[in-house]
Amino acid sequence: MTHKNVPRHIAIIMDGNGRWARARGLPRVEGHRRGVESIRNLVTALSKQEDVKYLTLYAFSRENWKRPAKEVGFLMRLLRYFCRRELKMMMKNSVRFTTIGALSSLPKVVREEVRKTRQATQDNDGFTMCLAINYGGRDEIVRAARRVARRAASGDIQARSINERLFARHLQTAGMPDPDLLIRTAGEMRLSNFLLWEASYAELWFTNVLWPDFRMEHLNKAIRAYSSRTRKYGAVEDTR
Ligand code: IPE
Ligand code: IPE
Ligand code: MG
């Protein structure tokens, strides 16, 4: 079997919207607005190829509530418009839209729009785009632990049968493969609480490109870098 060394699941920490705007003397929110175009661009292109099947995008972290109320409000509205406006593009390209993160604390209108888009696209099987909204990696793990604990307390499972595989089935990302390649834009080199469990063996790639400027040429560069790496998972390189 020939094995093509391409990532099946790519996760991106979309960063640098504020800096993009500041560099142009524009308000931060303008950077967020332009960032949506990067998303549309990548999703449209990725849905037309056969290698990458999952794209998970960090759109709003649990920590992002600390931003000024006006910016948070704008991001919420943008999310709602994104779901509404891009539905046509998703249907046309057979994109399944999913989310991870605690949606229950989002404004009701946003939650509803997200739910509608998820539902409308659930049978699309070309490509999966997953938005992390009000997402935190530790929070996701704690919620999974709570579910597992409840099942154990009710006698549904035995404590000794809890292993990594069972645990992962209780994460919100259950059903998706772990990300193979994790990208962060805008020169920052940290995870900021993103996919802490799932990215345990992801290949990392950082770029100084700001998110509103990020296009397929940059993604292709990251994919090429990925392809040239050797994933060893703790073993030794096969030199036979
Ligand atoms: C990323 O851009 C978008 C979100 C976190 C929602 P930033 O808004 O963090 O941009 P910088 O880091 O201030 O440049
Ligand atoms: C991470 O970016 C969150 C998202 C991309 C949604 P931030 O810009 O919020 O992260 P920090 O504050 O630099 O760690
Ligand atoms: Mg940032």
Side-chain angles (χ1 to χ4, degrees):
M1 197 181 91
T2 49
H3 174 67
K4 255 171 98 185
N5 205 9
V6 288
R8 201 151 90 90
H9 182 177
I10 297 178
I12 307 183
I13 302 174
M14 311 181 284
D15 201 10
N17 294 353
R19 277 163 278 178
W20 183 93
R22 199 176 52 206
R24 287 161 180 76
L26 298 168
R28 289 179 57 82
V29 293
E30 209 43 51
H32 298 317
R33 206 198 303 274
R34 290 298 290 264
V36 173
E37 286 179 30
S38 303
I39 300 181
R40 184 187 306 127
N41 199 272
L42 295 192
V43 171
T44 311
L46 287 175
S47 65
K48 298 189 196 322
Q49 50 78 62
E50 286 299 317
D51 295 327
V52 182
K53 283 294 168 198
Y54 299 85
L55 178 70
T56 299
L57 300 170
Y58 206 2
F60 192 88
S61 74
R62 282 172 63 85
E63 289 74 25
N64 286 147
W65 294 107
K66 293 179 201 156
R67 296 187 178 202
K70 256 179 79 179
E71 183 173 342
V72 170
F74 184 90
L75 285 167
M76 289 299 144
R77 279 197 302 282
L78 197 60
L79 207 54
R80 187 171 160 216
Y81 292 140
F82 175 82
C83 289
R84 193 186 296 170
R85 250 195 348 233
E86 303 303 330
L87 180 58
K88 232 164 85 186
M89 177 276 285
M90 295 181 204
M91 295 312 287
K92 189 169 157 237
N93 296 299
S94 192
V95 173
R96 188 166 68 102
F97 173 81
T98 65
T99 58
I100 51 174
L103 295 187
S104 57
S105 21
L106 300 184
K108 189 156 178 277
V109 283
V110 180
R111 207 164 60 221
E112 276 304 299
E113 204 65 45
V114 168
R115 194 187 53 79
K116 266 199 264 176
T117 306
R118 233 172 22 199
Q119 224 161 36
T121 64
Q122 66 183 357
D123 294 327
N124 292 348
D125 55 6
F127 174 78
T128 298
M129 158 189 186
C130 173
L131 265 196
I133 310 168
N134 191 22
Y135 175 84
R138 286 188 173 183
D139 180 62
E140 185 193 24
I141 293 169
V142 167
R143 283 167 197 263
R146 212 180 281 146
R147 284 189 208 113
V148 171
R150 261 196 226 109
R151 290 187 60 191
S154 74
D156 181 26
I157 52 171
Q158 300 277 304
R160 67 168 175 277
S161 68
I162 300 171
N163 55 26
E164 291 183 15
R165 217 216 288 239
L166 179 139
F167 192 83
R169 280 205 297 271
H170 294 78
L171 293 165
Q172 285 192 295
T173 48
M176 280 205 283
D178 283 343
D180 303 295
L181 171 62
L182 191 150
I183 297 171
R184 183 166 187 150
T185 60
E188 244 52 81
M189 296 193 190
R190 53 176 169 264
L191 290 179
S192 300
N193 206 9
F194 192 41
L195 301 178
L196 296 183
W197 174 285
E198 296 85 346
S200 72
Y201 255 102
E203 293 292 330
L204 309 179
W205 194 78
F206 300 99
T207 173
N208 288 328
V209 174
L210 305 175
W211 179 249
D213 291 327
F214 195 87
R215 289 293 177 272
M216 273 312 283
E217 62 186 280
H218 306 109
L219 189 70
N220 283 329
K221 200 168 154 196
I223 294 174
R224 276 198 301 277
Y226 173 91
S227 301
S228 69
R229 294 187 191 177
T230 308
R231 299 182 83 184
K232 296 190 287 189
Y233 299 100
V236 289
E237 202 172 333
D238 190 353
T239 50
R240 272 175 304 179

